[in-house]
């Protein structure tokens, strides 16, 4: 059992950051770019996972993220960093946090950031170490730490602010926000009786914190930990305000179309008054139905919009990009709203429009039964809008083949009339995982019998926004060599698409 002072440095933070920057640079120098993102946040090299400390500070957007700078596998965690003037174009920044205190010997884990009353940026994160000081065998010791910054780039460590008196093995991912005249922090934990819980802490000065009760206990006993909690208010169309509780649940078993991923991120909508428990009003809903989505975090934009970014997780498996010098990217920033049905609506942040040139409108298209029509010979990166006129189509499945290559590989995005779902299917993938995921399409999502899909393509990924944004699907899509075609396809019947518009990167 480790006994030393958790705030004692075991190395210089400056030197640890310099080594980390060097590690990233070495991998970036030999990186292969066949699947490396052009408009998604990632590191120039190495492994990344969860978004951390998402914020708008000193006039720029900041996305920090979990980073292993010395390899393309998960490893001792740092905070990597990218920033943006417009939320659409990101530039890499130096590594922001490296393990340097005893409490964080095995890594600086996920957390959040906000501007304090003194104008500094306050970053709260989990310090992680092994209980026996050597390896995972006896579990973790996790506490919450603070680091502050005057420029959003260089941080000064302020040490442990929330201890772990119960010695819980899982107690991490602080998310802090201003509530009335105090600050509150949600932290995920494995309770002493082994259940997934989210607890609150409260502070009047951002420095000294005290426990403020259990906000939520997961009802499923197989769910043993709730990672990356987030908690915020949104206004419903009728003007009523609701609280949204997001978390990434560990331990849920697959059930039909749900919980197919290694661990699963989603949300509850409900009511809450400070001092009381959160009372959910509906079921747990996935935030994204794709194979590669986990650990999302939100920020409140200066204009009040709630913006979310997730980690496109390899979902427990290997990702072929690991041979290319990098692994992992964040999703695009997504704006959240609450629908009249009490579920979230998500759209790519409006700032992303800056990425795209003028739309090439391909008009209304009619496909004969089983026809396939190539509409773009090479579209590695782009934004595709398609409206499927289901009322005027007889196809059993209809939609798009994206990233289709000469070797026969492609990723399928389309509507299945038998299951009434939108599928993201990688059966024909030539690299990486196969399999599919399918998101439900409620009757209310069909506008007069039409279903619209917005598909964002980057060199190695696809993100699908269904209808008015009630569902999303995100996955890696790792095409083979040569041009990457886009085709409209009908199976087992005819298809009428009332609109198909393709936009390519601007400039
Ligand atoms: C979620 C997570 C967090 C933790 C971090 C470590 O993916 O396990 O709970 O803080 O990743 O990298």
């Amino acid at each position: 059992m480790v006994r030393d002072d958790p705030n004692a440095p075991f190395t210089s933070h400056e030197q640890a950051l310099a080594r980390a920057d060097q590690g990233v640079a070495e991998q970036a120098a030999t990186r292969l770019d066949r699947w490396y993102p052009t408009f998604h946040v990632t590191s120039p090299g190495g492994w990344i996972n969860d978004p951390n400390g998402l914020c708008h500070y000193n006039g720029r957007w900041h996305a920090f993220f979990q980073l292993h700078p010395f390899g393309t596998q998960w490893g001792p965690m740092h905070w990597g960093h990218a920033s943006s003037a417009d939320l659409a174009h990101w530039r890499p920044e130096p590594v922001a946090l490296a393990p340097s205190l005893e409490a964080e010997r095995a890594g600086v884990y996920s957390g959040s950031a906000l501007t304090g009353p003194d104008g500094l940026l306050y970053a709260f994160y989990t310090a992680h170490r092994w209980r026996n000081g050597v390896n995972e065998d006896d579990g973790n010791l996790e506490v919450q730490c603070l680091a502050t910054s005057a420029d959003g780039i260089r941080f000064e460590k302020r040490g442990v602010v929330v201890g772990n008196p119960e010695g819980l093995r899982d107690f991490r991912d602080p998310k802090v926000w201003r509530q009335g005249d105090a600050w509150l922090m949600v932290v995920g934990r494995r309770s002493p009786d082994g259940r997934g819980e989210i607890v609150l802490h409260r502070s009047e000065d951002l420095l000294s914190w005290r426990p403020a009760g259990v906000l939520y206990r997961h009802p499923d006993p197989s769910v043993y930990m709730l990672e990356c909690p987030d908690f915020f208010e949104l206004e419903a169309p009728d003007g009523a305000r609701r609280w949204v509780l997001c978390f990434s649940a560990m331990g849920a078993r697959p059930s039909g179309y749900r919980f197919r991923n290694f661990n699963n991120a989603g949300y509850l909508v409900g009511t809450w008054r400070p001092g009381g428990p959160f009372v959910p009003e509906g079921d747990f809903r996935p935030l994204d139905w794709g194979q590669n989505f986990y650990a999302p975090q939100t920020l409140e934009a200066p204009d009040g919009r709630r913006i979310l970014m997730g980690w496109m997780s390899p979902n427990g498996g290997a990702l072929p990009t690991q041979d290319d010098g990098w692994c992992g990217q964040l999703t695009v920033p997504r704006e959240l709203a609450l629908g009249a049905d009490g579920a979230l609506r998500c759209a790519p942040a409006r700032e992303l429009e800056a990425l795209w040139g003028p739309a090439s409108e391909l008009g209304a298209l009619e496909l004969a039964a089983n026809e396939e029509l190539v509409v773009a010979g090479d579209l590695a990166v782009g934004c595709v809008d398609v409206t499927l006129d289901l009322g005027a189509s007889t196809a059993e499945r209809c939609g798009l083949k994206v990233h289709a290559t000469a070797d026969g590989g492609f990723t399928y995005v389309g509507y299945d009339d038998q299951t009434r779902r939108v599928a993201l299917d990688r059966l024909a993938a030539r690299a990486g995982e196969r399999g599919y995921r399918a998101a439900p399409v409620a009757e209310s999502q069909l506008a007069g019998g039409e279903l619209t899909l917005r598909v964002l393509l980057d060199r190695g990924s696809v993100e699908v926004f269904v209808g008015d944004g009630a569902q999303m699907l995100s996955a890696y899509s790792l095409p083979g060599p040569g041009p990457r075609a886009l085709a409209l396809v009908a199976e087992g019947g005819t298809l009428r698409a009332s609109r198909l518009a393709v936009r390519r990167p601007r400039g």
Side-chain angles (χ1 to χ4, degrees):
M1 176 71 186
V2 288
R3 288 182 198 283
D4 37 34
D5 173 6
N7 291 319
F10 68 86
T11 188
S12 131
H13 193 214
E14 287 304 308
Q15 285 169 17
L17 290 173
R19 285 193 295 272
D21 283 328
Q22 177 68 20
V24 168
E26 277 168 20
Q27 294 181 80
T30 54
R31 193 184 69 216
L32 296 183
D33 282 349
R34 54 189 169 162
W35 300 314
Y36 188 76
T38 63
F39 62 93
H40 289 84
V41 171
T42 187
S43 169
W47 159 285
I48 79 154
N49 52 289
D50 319 355
N52 293 159
L54 301 180
C55 63
H56 189 268
Y57 181 68
N58 273 358
R60 289 185 73 80
W61 304 89
H62 295 268
F64 302 88
F65 45 81
Q66 291 282 281
L67 167 73
H68 180 217
F70 305 115
T72 57
Q73 318 289 328
W74 189 89
M77 281 291 130
H78 296 56
W79 274 32
H81 185 194
S83 79
S84 170
D86 63 0
L87 200 59
H89 302 89
W90 295 86
R91 74 173 186 220
E93 300 284 0
V95 176
L97 294 174
S100 66
L101 307 180
E102 283 298 339
E104 45 189 44
R105 260 196 187 268
V108 292
Y109 275 17
S110 287
S112 59
L114 83 174
T115 307
D118 52 6
L120 295 179
L121 185 65
Y122 283 65
F124 294 89
Y125 63 95
T126 298
H128 177 92
R129 61 177 157 168
W130 312 123
R131 185 175 285 276
N132 60 16
V134 188
N135 58 33
E136 211 168 356
D137 290 357
D138 299 328
N140 321 316
L141 208 54
E142 296 184 327
V143 295
Q144 318 316 322
C145 286
L146 169 66
T148 53
S149 172
D151 61 4
I153 309 285
R154 288 177 301 272
F155 284 84
E156 184 191 334
K157 291 202 178 156
R158 312 284 287 261
V160 179
V161 291
V162 176
N164 184 349
E166 291 171 287
L168 299 171
R169 59 167 298 161
D170 294 295
F171 178 52
R172 58 180 175 269
D173 308 339
K175 177 82 199 281
V176 177
W177 76 101
R178 180 82 173 155
Q179 181 69 41
D181 54 4
W183 284 273
L184 293 179
M185 173 194 287
V186 277
V187 187
R189 71 172 197 172
R190 186 191 306 217
S191 69
D193 63 347
R195 299 286 289 269
E197 284 185 347
I198 296 167
V199 293
L200 283 164
H201 285 69
R202 179 186 164 95
S203 172
E204 270 76 47
D205 60 2
L206 288 171
L207 301 174
S208 83
W209 292 84
R210 58 178 190 280
V214 175
L215 179 72
Y216 179 70
R217 178 176 167 92
H218 201 285
D220 179 350
S222 58
V223 172
Y224 59 87
M225 172 65 187
L226 303 180
E227 296 187 303
C228 303
D230 201 346
F231 195 43
F232 51 86
E233 234 184 339
L234 285 180
E235 192 175 300
D238 64 3
R241 296 190 75 79
R242 291 282 179 280
W243 282 86
V244 181
L245 182 64
C246 300
F247 52 83
S248 293
M250 304 177 86
R253 299 201 184 89
S255 161
Y257 291 100
R258 295 162 70 90
F259 310 130
R260 307 297 320 178
N261 289 346
F262 181 58
N263 291 315
N264 295 272
Y267 68 98
L268 291 159
V269 175
T271 55
W272 176 70
R273 278 188 204 297
F278 168 71
V279 182
E281 286 179 336
D283 291 338
F284 179 78
R285 296 179 169 102
L287 266 161
D288 184 299
W289 292 79
Q291 288 99 329
N292 304 116
F293 183 86
Y294 196 62
Q297 183 179 93
T298 69
L299 72 110
E300 190 182 343
D303 63 6
R305 278 177 302 155
R306 183 59 58 171
I307 302 208
L308 174 142
M309 296 171 86
W311 163 43
M312 292 192 63
S313 151
N315 195 18
L319 201 66
T321 68
Q322 286 168 315
D323 299 330
D324 292 359
W326 69 282
C327 185
Q329 67 185 43
L330 305 186
T331 66
V332 293
R334 299 163 176 188
E335 291 182 27
L336 304 187
L338 208 50
D341 57 359
L344 289 176
R345 296 290 183 275
C346 308
R350 61 196 69 163
E351 287 86 347
L352 296 188
E353 292 296 305
L355 292 172
W356 311 119
S360 149
E361 294 282 350
L362 303 170
L365 296 165
E366 310 260 355
L367 263 60
N370 306 315
E371 197 187 342
E372 183 171 325
L373 178 70
V374 174
V375 290
D378 192 8
L379 189 73
V381 181
C383 174
V384 181
D385 291 311
V386 64
T387 302
L388 305 168
D389 184 350
L390 301 177
S393 306
T394 64
E396 291 176 5
R397 293 212 312 174
C398 53
L400 300 167
K401 283 184 177 177
V402 305
H403 285 165
T405 43
D407 59 9
F410 61 86
T411 298
Y412 178 79
V413 176
Y415 177 72
D416 181 332
D417 197 43
Q418 300 182 69
T419 59
R420 301 186 77 81
R421 285 177 174 259
V422 168
L424 201 179
D425 192 337
R426 299 187 300 192
L427 171 71
R430 290 292 180 266
E433 288 293 326
R434 296 188 170 182
Y436 76 100
R437 294 286 186 277
V441 178
E443 209 60 52
S444 58
Q445 298 304 301
L446 302 174
E450 292 195 326
L451 176 66
T452 296
L453 305 177
R454 169 161 286 187
V455 182
L456 299 184
L457 295 172
D458 206 343
R459 282 197 290 221
S461 66
V462 48
E463 283 160 276
V464 184
F465 297 81
V466 179
D468 63 356
Q471 318 294 353
M472 294 176 289
L473 302 100
S474 305
Y476 290 105
S477 165
L478 308 174
R484 299 162 182 195
L486 172 73
L488 190 65
V489 51
E491 295 167 63
T494 62
L495 165 63
R496 179 173 188 280
S498 47
R499 178 172 183 236
L500 181 59
V502 174
R503 288 185 289 166
R504 294 175 183 275
R506 187 190 293 264

